[in-house]
């Protein structure tokens, strides 16, 4: 699937503008990405899937929300991006085996994944979105009991769906399968990242898919069924190998600077998102990472 974006020249100009706004303080000593734990000095090997409007590869450029953020950061750090197209499982595996320096695009932080790699601070947060058949409405997790629910193999919602009483899981190799079965009525709802559903709804009105947001489960519900955690807004992050601690720290520093400058808010709006929804940390998020892969006093970035 493809959606229209700004022309490559315009996106490149935006990336240069963003890079020009950064201070020298964020650049590595010596320039050219020196000392940043990359596989090849000055290069940033990126595993990425076709997942518009988050990531789309055109030539040597990654377009989309995550692509724009990463290019802005890489420019500031003096790194040349080298994208490698794969699927979601290949993205995770490429990082964990250190065949690449980083992966971006729809990667949710989880305690299990952080055991095998490093996560940056969240460049944005993702509210729980569903694609549903037109005319149907589901508000809470209880509304999903016994329904046919789909997502992509390897996504965090797989375990969440399995935890819903009597729900039937449809796991697909990519989002296309989810949308096809939603459109044909073989699924009642599909869990994917919100900008993806919004764009599909606009691009394929014939499928009669609507975007709905799930009311986050309560603390009591999550306590009873921990898998429900990812029916709440979740932390996205860029994912790196365990050997890339300096690179992770440098990227996280630039992400925080983009919150403060307002650059992230502009990029969220560019792709149809609401900055308040995407850039405001939920109250419980800090505790998820404190003492796990962040210090005990860590606070997630937020507007």
């Amino acid at each position: 699937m493809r959606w229209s974006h700004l022309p490559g020249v315009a996106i490149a100009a935006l990336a240069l503008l963003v890079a020009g706004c950064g201070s020298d303080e964020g650049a590595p000593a010596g320039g050219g990405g020196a000392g940043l734990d990359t596989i090849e000095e000055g290069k940033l090997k990126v595993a990425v899937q076709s997942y518009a409007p988050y990531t789309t590869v055109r030539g040597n450029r990654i377009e989309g929300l995550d692509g724009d953020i990463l290019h802005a950061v890489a420019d500031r750090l003096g790194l040349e991006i080298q994208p490698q197209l794969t699927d979601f499982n290949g993205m995770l595996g490429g990082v964990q085996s250190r065949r690449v320096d980083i992966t971006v695009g729809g990667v949710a932080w989880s305690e299990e994944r952080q055991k095998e790699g490093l996560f940056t601070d969240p460049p944005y947060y993702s509210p729980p979105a569903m694609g549903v058949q037109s005319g149907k409405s589901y508000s809470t997790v209880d509304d999903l009991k016994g329904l046919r629910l789909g997502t992509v193999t390897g996504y965090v919602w797989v375990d969440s769906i399995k935890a819903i009483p009597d729900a039937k899981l449809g796991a697909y190799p990519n989002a296309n399968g989810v949308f096809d079965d939603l459109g044909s009525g073989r699924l009642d709802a599909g869990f994917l990242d919100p900008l993806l559903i919004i764009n599909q709804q606009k691009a394929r009105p014939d499928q009669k898919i609507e975007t709905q947001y799930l009311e986050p489960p309560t603390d009591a519900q999550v306590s009873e069924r921990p898998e429900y955690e990812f029916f709440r807004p979740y932390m996205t992050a860029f994912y790196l190998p365990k050997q890339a601690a300096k690179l992770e720290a440098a990227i996280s520093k630039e992400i925080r600077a983009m919150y403060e400058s307002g650059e992230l808010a502009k990029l969220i709006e560019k792709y149809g998102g609401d900055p308040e929804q995407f850039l405001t940390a939920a109250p419980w998020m800090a505790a998820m990472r404190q003492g796990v892969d962040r210090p005990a006093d860590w606070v997630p970035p937020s507007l």
Side-chain angles (χ1 to χ4, degrees):
M1 296 176 292
R2 294 289 185 271
W3 290 266
S4 61
H5 300 294
L6 290 178
V9 172
I11 294 177
L14 175 61
L16 289 172
L17 176 60
V18 169
C21 294
S23 66
D24 292 338
E25 182 181 340
L36 286 179
D37 298 327
T38 54
I39 297 170
E40 182 180 349
E41 188 167 311
K43 311 292 184 182
L44 189 66
K45 300 180 187 297
V46 186
V48 66
Q49 65 176 334
S50 293
Y51 199 58
Y54 294 91
T55 51
T56 300
V57 176
R58 290 192 173 93
N60 289 322
R61 184 163 191 88
I62 305 171
E63 299 182 1
L65 176 59
D66 287 72
D68 282 3
I69 297 170
L70 186 64
H71 274 282
V73 170
D75 285 348
R76 294 181 182 185
L77 297 178
L79 295 170
E80 176 189 342
I81 287 179
Q82 295 183 336
Q84 298 180 15
L85 196 60
T86 183
D87 59 16
F88 189 77
N89 289 328
M91 288 163 54
L92 300 183
V95 164
Q96 292 166 358
S97 63
R98 210 191 180 194
R99 297 192 301 272
V100 297
D101 295 301
I102 192 170
T103 190
V104 305
V107 183
W109 183 91
S110 73
E111 188 167 359
E112 188 65 27
R113 288 175 183 166
Q114 67 83 32
K115 294 176 183 177
E116 304 296 331
L118 302 176
F119 281 100
T120 64
D121 282 353
Y124 58 89
Y125 307 94
S126 191
M130 301 175 289
V132 305
Q133 291 180 301
S134 180
K136 293 189 176 182
S137 178
Y138 311 110
S139 300
T140 68
V141 175
D142 286 341
D143 293 337
L144 303 178
K145 293 179 179 178
L147 298 185
R148 299 162 298 175
L149 307 174
T151 191
V152 174
T153 300
Y155 283 16
V156 292
W157 295 295
V158 169
D159 289 340
S160 300
I161 291 171
K162 287 179 178 178
I164 298 174
D166 300 320
K168 301 172 182 64
L169 169 67
Y172 299 80
N174 53 51
N176 289 349
V178 178
F179 288 129
D180 288 345
D181 277 7
L182 273 174
S184 67
R186 290 189 290 268
L187 285 177
D188 296 303
F191 283 87
L192 297 165
D193 293 301
L195 296 186
L196 191 71
I197 303 172
I198 292 168
N199 274 269
Q200 183 73 3
Q201 183 178 343
K202 294 177 181 177
R204 291 289 306 276
D206 58 295
Q207 291 185 322
K208 298 181 179 179
I209 295 171
E210 297 179 354
T211 305
Q212 293 180 8
Y213 291 93
L214 192 69
E215 181 180 320
T218 64
D219 289 344
Q221 286 176 307
V222 173
S223 177
E224 180 182 356
R225 298 179 187 271
E227 299 89 350
Y228 281 7
E229 179 65 44
F230 288 101
F231 286 139
R232 290 174 155 184
Y234 71 83
M235 290 181 280
T236 70
F238 297 163
Y239 192 45
L240 299 86
K242 282 287 189 182
Q243 302 91 332
K246 292 179 182 177
L247 180 60
E248 182 278 312
I251 293 175
S252 291
K253 180 179 179 180
E254 295 299 338
I255 286 171
R256 286 185 175 268
M258 292 178 73
Y259 273 87
E260 294 174 3
S261 70
E263 296 162 49
L264 279 177
K266 292 178 181 178
L267 288 176
I268 295 294
E269 290 174 341
K270 172 183 172 181
Y271 290 99
D274 178 354
E276 290 292 332
Q277 289 280 343
F278 279 77
L279 299 178
T280 302
W284 61 81
M285 289 180 173
M288 292 175 66
R289 297 184 68 173
Q290 289 172 344
V292 179
D293 70 340
R294 286 294 187 269
D297 59 351
W298 179 76
V299 177
S302 192
L303 287 180

